[in-house]
Amino acid sequence: RQADTWRLDFKWMPLATPQDQERFRFELDRAHHSLVLQEAINKENGDLTSFGLELRGMPAEMDVARIFTEGERHALGIEVATLLPFLNLDHGIQSLLKWNQEWDSYEKLAIRRRQLDLFYGCRDDLELYLKLWTLWDYLTDKQRHDWEDLSGVDYKTFHEKIELERRKLLEMAIDWRKAENRPVAISKIDALRALIVYCLQDEIYQ
């Protein structure tokens, strides 16, 4: 087919007004342009590229599918699956840190110092997130509860928002293309940074 006739026929769809029809055409053009920019669609003939075919087989939202596909290409699938749940937190690292106004001043100071210790040596949020996961993964369940008491790392939130979401992503990837299963490799942090910049250009992190 020709590049200028790539659109599917949606004439059957009952759109209420000409304005609705115009908005619908605009969204189709925008989506097509985005897929071309991501090299999922061939600009010349409108066909799916090999990368587009991989994305089509990934049962996830477009941004997740893209970074997962690129991550797997560069042996970063485990790191990507670990990072994405952290990026989805509503308030970043603060979502994982408990703070109780009823603690006395000494306890507040001690816990805040331990929380600040978690940041030591980390150049950005990505490194911090991988560090936190590595620590969590190393601990037993009892030690994780102790960690909550000592450093205010919220056990329930970490378990539900990070551990379980990461497991879902890995199960999805393993199901999909038999992805590798290994510990997180902190040594790949620079490659992961480059991947984030490439795939999630609108994601701001420090």
Side-chain angles (χ1 to χ4, degrees):
R1 60 183 178 272
Q2 299 299 316
D4 58 351
T5 60
W6 63 268
R7 296 183 185 86
L8 298 175
D9 182 7
F10 286 99
K11 292 180 180 178
W12 57 269
M13 186 176 291
L15 298 173
T17 67
Q19 290 79 10
D20 288 337
Q21 296 175 18
E22 184 61 29
R23 282 195 295 271
F24 185 69
R25 284 193 293 269
F26 174 79
E27 286 303 317
L28 282 179
D29 287 336
R30 185 188 62 79
H32 179 262
H33 180 66
S34 175
L35 290 171
V36 169
L37 288 179
Q38 297 183 66
E39 299 180 354
I41 288 180
N42 188 302
K43 184 178 180 180
E44 301 301 322
N45 58 27
D47 287 335
L48 287 174
T49 62
S50 58
F51 181 59
L53 290 171
E54 291 189 58
L55 289 180
R56 186 180 66 176
M58 184 71 172
E61 295 181 5
M62 182 63 183
D63 55 346
V64 175
R66 175 171 173 75
I67 190 171
F68 232 132
T69 302
E70 289 289 356
E72 282 292 293
R73 281 181 169 184
H74 298 88
L76 291 168
I78 298 295
E79 287 68 34
V80 168
T82 302
L83 176 65
L84 287 178
F86 285 100
L87 294 182
N88 284 331
L89 292 171
D90 291 335
H91 303 291
I93 185 62
Q94 295 303 320
S95 300
L96 299 174
L97 300 181
K98 298 181 68 173
W99 191 252
N100 189 340
Q101 293 298 336
E102 295 183 0
W103 290 335
D104 62 44
S105 298
Y106 293 103
E107 189 170 10
K108 286 179 179 177
L109 178 60
I111 288 181
R112 180 57 76 197
R113 282 178 172 173
R114 295 189 191 109
Q115 289 176 345
L116 290 175
D117 285 345
L118 297 172
F119 293 79
Y120 182 77
C122 297
R123 290 173 288 173
D124 57 21
D125 287 352
L126 301 188
E127 197 161 355
L128 172 62
Y129 293 152
L130 293 189
K131 176 182 179 180
L132 286 175
W133 171 257
T134 301
L135 291 170
W136 174 271
D137 194 40
Y138 177 78
L139 299 175
T140 65
D141 197 61
K142 181 183 182 305
Q143 289 172 327
R144 291 169 181 174
H145 281 286
D146 292 341
W147 196 26
E148 178 179 47
D149 294 336
L150 289 172
S151 300
V153 177
D154 194 315
Y155 176 93
K156 183 175 185 293
T157 302
F158 207 113
H159 173 66
E160 293 179 356
K161 300 294 186 181
I162 304 300
E163 183 177 22
L164 295 185
E165 290 302 313
R166 178 183 185 270
R167 186 181 304 165
K168 289 177 186 176
L169 287 170
L170 286 175
E171 288 173 352
M172 177 178 63
I174 291 171
D175 236 21
W176 172 53
R177 49 188 306 185
K178 308 300 181 186
E180 58 184 342
N181 187 15
R182 57 168 174 75
V184 165
I186 299 292
S187 60
K188 296 189 176 189
I189 185 67
D190 287 333
L192 186 61
R193 289 190 183 102
L195 185 71
I196 293 298
V197 171
Y198 179 69
C199 294
L200 301 177
Q201 298 182 18
D202 294 329
E203 186 73 41
I204 299 175
Y205 66 92
Q206 298 177 354

